Amino acid sequence: MDSAQYAELFLTESREHVSAINHSLLELERGVGGDEPVGAIFRGVHTIKGMSATMGYTAVASLSHELETLLDVVRRGGSTVDARLMDLLFRAADLLERAIESAVSGVDAVDVLPMIHQLQSEAGRDSQTFLSMAMTAELPVPGMGMGMTAEMPIPGAWTAAVPAGPGMLVRVRIVEGTPLKGVRAFLAVEAAKKLGEVGEVSPPVEALQADAFDHDFALRLTTELSRDDVIAALRRAGDVDEVSADDAAVSAPLVEAPAPTKATNGSSGNGGNGATNGGAVRQQRSVRIDLRRLDNLMNLIGELVITRGRLVQLTGPVDDPALAETVAQTSRPVWQVFDRFPRLVRDAARSVGKPVEFTIEGKEVELDRSMLDEVGDPIVHLLRNAIDHGIESPEVRREQGKPESGRLTLSASRDRSAVAIRVTDDGRGIDREKVLQRAREHGLIDASKTELTDEELFRIISQAGFSTADKVTDLSGRGVGIDAVHNRVRSLGGSVDIRTAPGKGTTVTLRLPLTLAIVRSLLARIGDETYAIPMTHVSETVELHPQIMHTLKGREVLMIREQVLPLIRLRQLLHYEGDATRGLEQVVVVEMAERRAALVVDALIGQQEVVVKQFDGVQNGLTLFGGATILGDGAPALIIDVSSLL
Amino acid sequence: MSNTVLICDDAIFMRTMVGDILQQAGFEIVGEAETGVQAVEKYKQLRPDLVTMDIVMPDMGGIDAVREITKFDPNAKVLMCSAMGQQALVVEAIQAGAKDFVVKPFQPSRVLEAVQRVLG
């Protein structure tokens, strides 16, 4: 069979296991969950071992075998879980991950031998590598088990001692190189037991089970069956090379032999046979689908949504949950990305010598698959920033009366049709003075400015290359911080918001749309054109009555429930000539990350799901729009990028 | 009519591979289980001609699952799928009622031989 076709499956599944292993290692280190973490790590490593051996990935198989052996020792309480052991396990897990990647890609071969030796000496065994036996089940297994390996057997010769006692002398030779030949021999003995009374077995069954024999064994069998029948029956035990049954040795009187027992297995009469399980077993099936197919499906669904829009215009509203379900299929729970962060935070915190308590909230919140892939890096940036710059050293924290361990929280929550991802630390907060000073040095702001609002602060630190770090560390401070995060998130149609308080900490919020492709939008008209405003950002609509309009510092504002909102006239912004023709203009209150504005349009048309088509190349001046869509009547509409207005 | 098979393994990779081997040999895969508990439930529900059973699975291992399945149906035909170095566990599985075993890495011919012996 061509193993290559399984490589992708192997990689996906192994990655999941490595992620789970890391998760359990962290639990083990923290001492939570009792025996379960070790058991879980053991199972994960064991599964990887089986898969990699099947794939012929020797390095991965040997490494996981040794790791498994050590874990078994740990599981049985033979090794204390201390910092040194944890360090070894973490390093082994890292190497395992690299070995998996390199085995599949075929590049950067990883040398696993040093680690194998370390694992072996930790497990307290002499160096006997799995390498020789792991791959080719066809090869003989050298020196496994205990003793009895001294002499080379002469091919074809029976080596087992003749067992004493009455009955037919039966000799069985297991095919050389049979994996787990001891179990195979055990099966043959079991098969013999069904033929009659088995007397002495040589070597004894216990030795056979432990593989401590040289391919052949002998037993005494008292049976009524003929020699040929016995041979035929034992051959069927599988992997039997040769069977001999020696009638001449039959000296015991056959009459005393018990009747051959019927080949029933196990106990009968245990309740439950008759009672068929009437209750339906709930089946949960999952399938793995090629991403390209899924993307194609999404495109087709997009077309369907457009067509539905057309139909709705003709016939009235339709609400089809099946459509929402299909869209949901492209969503994935955030833990698929979040799960690797505890390990990352641990390592990062260690490398700067700051104890950090890391918690993750809202793991089950779902996000569009393609977005989930993209959002990992920005979150890594934020976590590293928090550890490197946000959280103070234990000494400083103690002086300030804070707990020595810094608190770092990553949370995901559903927020209407958006997902909010927050990274919160309880560190020193962003130093406004320092930002102000750097900003002046770089000429980013007016030199006379002495204070920064949150918005200004955010705008400055979002600029490419801006860093207040005194020194560049391994982790961050290279000036690829917030600006990279901001760009990435914006390209996904999301927004970034920062709240920081000196001495108390910083919260960075990433707000992402649930899906990239289909957005529920409010359609508004200006002149003859239709514009779509994503509902994610619409908080309410009101009519533009003159009595709610005011002027503040020379700017038009709107007063809604004692809130002052800046007024943005889309008509002016888009350079339309003249005024709205009939009736009252409408106001769409848009919000994003706690910022709000009042958007004035000519008229409102209604809500519709629109399929976002991204612009191929964004040119200057198009920042106002996040894409375009085709409406039900076939007319195009531009989608307004609310973040650019605020 | 082709023989029906229930495949029990916590790794999708392994289930796929065993499934492919058996399917190509004309078997009908009627179900898959990821845990021992699922394996027992699905056996009772599907009554397959053959069960392939991984030893190490979360939520009830393969050996306990064999025990439960054999208790329910003494004639159940279970083939253990084991890894290197698990002889003691395979012996235990056979004592629990498993009929034969194959050792990873799987070779299609060996799997099919073992299957034939079990169904024999």
Side-chain angles (χ1 to χ4, degrees), chain A residues 6 13 46 54 184 211 239, chain B residues 11-13 17 20 100 110:
Chain A
Y6 295 105
E13 203 164 8
H46 178 81
T54 305
R184 198 46 76 190
D211 273 359
D239 286 325
Chain B
I12 298 171
F13 173 85
M17 175 161 275
D20 284 355
D100 209 309
R110 296 198 78 94

Side-chain angles (χ1 to χ4, degrees), chain B residues 44-64:
Chain B
K44 291 178 178 173
Q45 182 198 354
L46 302 167
R47 303 299 297 266
D49 299 324
L50 175 74
V51 182
T52 71
M53 182 77 73
D54 185 27
I55 291 184
V56 180
M57 286 189 288
D59 212 3
M60 185 193 286
I63 295 173
D64 287 333

Side-chain angles (χ1 to χ4, degrees), chain A residues 286-441:
Chain A
S286 64
V287 288
R288 301 210 160 202
I289 305 174
D290 192 318
L291 284 185
R292 281 161 302 195
R293 278 170 184 252
L294 211 51
D295 287 340
N296 264 337
L297 193 61
M298 272 311 283
N299 270 336
L300 288 173
I301 297 221
E303 298 297 323
L304 274 178
V305 170
I306 291 172
T307 310
R308 184 180 70 155
R310 256 176 224 166
L311 287 174
V312 167
Q313 279 197 339
L314 293 172
T315 61
V318 178
D319 210 356
D320 189 355
L323 206 54
E325 179 78 6
T326 317
V327 174
Q329 276 181 13
T330 63
S331 294
R332 291 285 172 270
V334 293
W335 62 254
Q336 292 193 348
V337 165
F338 283 16
D339 259 14
R340 69 187 166 101
F341 294 147
R343 175 68 202 280
L344 186 135
V345 167
R346 170 195 177 272
D347 291 353
R350 279 193 159 203
S351 76
V352 293
K354 297 175 184 173
V356 171
E357 267 176 48
F358 181 52
T359 38
I360 293 182
E361 290 161 8
K363 277 179 148 186
E364 66 296 331
V365 171
E366 295 198 341
L367 199 59
D368 186 272
R369 172 183 49 75
S370 46
M371 198 123 47
L372 198 55
D373 291 341
E374 294 286 319
V375 85
D377 289 349
I379 296 175
V380 171
H381 271 307
L382 296 177
L383 293 173
R384 288 190 161 165
N385 259 326
I387 295 165
D388 213 28
H389 306 312
I391 291 169
E392 312 89 333
S393 65
E395 301 77 42
V396 174
R397 291 181 67 91
R398 210 177 316 128
E399 276 168 25
Q400 298 187 346
K402 289 183 182 181
E404 277 188 32
S405 290
R407 271 173 226 285
L408 184 58
T409 308
L410 172 63
S411 75
S413 57
R414 181 82 177 263
D415 177 1
R416 256 188 279 171
S417 57
V419 169
I421 294 174
R422 283 190 183 81
V423 175
T424 306
D425 68 63
D426 69 342
R428 60 169 68 93
I430 295 171
D431 188 341
R432 278 163 201 271
E433 280 304 307
K434 215 165 178 178
V435 171
L436 193 61
Q437 190 192 329
R438 289 280 167 107
R440 280 207 216 97
E441 285 167 16

Side-chain angles (χ1 to χ4, degrees), chain A residues 87-126:
Chain A
D87 179 60
L88 179 64
L89 292 177
F90 273 120
R91 280 190 295 118
D94 285 346
L95 190 66
L96 187 62
E97 185 174 12
R98 277 193 284 134
I100 287 166
E101 300 289 334
S102 100
V104 175
S105 65
V107 294
D108 294 336
V110 175
D111 183 12
V112 294
L113 275 178
M115 177 56 78
I116 283 179
H117 292 311
Q118 277 186 57
L119 291 169
Q120 282 172 343
S121 74
E122 185 67 33
R125 293 182 314 133
D126 47 337

Side-chain angles (χ1 to χ4, degrees), chain A residues 465-491:
Chain A
F466 189 85
S467 173
T468 59
D470 293 324
K471 59 178 197 284
V472 171
T473 72
D474 206 23
L475 296 178
S476 50
R478 294 166 196 269
V480 280
I482 294 295
D483 66 303
V485 173
H486 189 228
N487 285 340
R488 182 73 69 90
V489 171
R490 232 195 100 127
S491 74

Side-chain angles (χ1 to χ4, degrees), chain B residues 31-51:
Chain B
E32 294 185 5
E34 292 176 40
T35 67
V37 172
Q38 273 183 21
V40 176
E41 276 178 3
K42 293 207 171 173
Y43 185 85
K44 291 178 178 173
Q45 182 198 354
L46 302 167
R47 303 299 297 266
D49 299 324
L50 175 74
V51 182

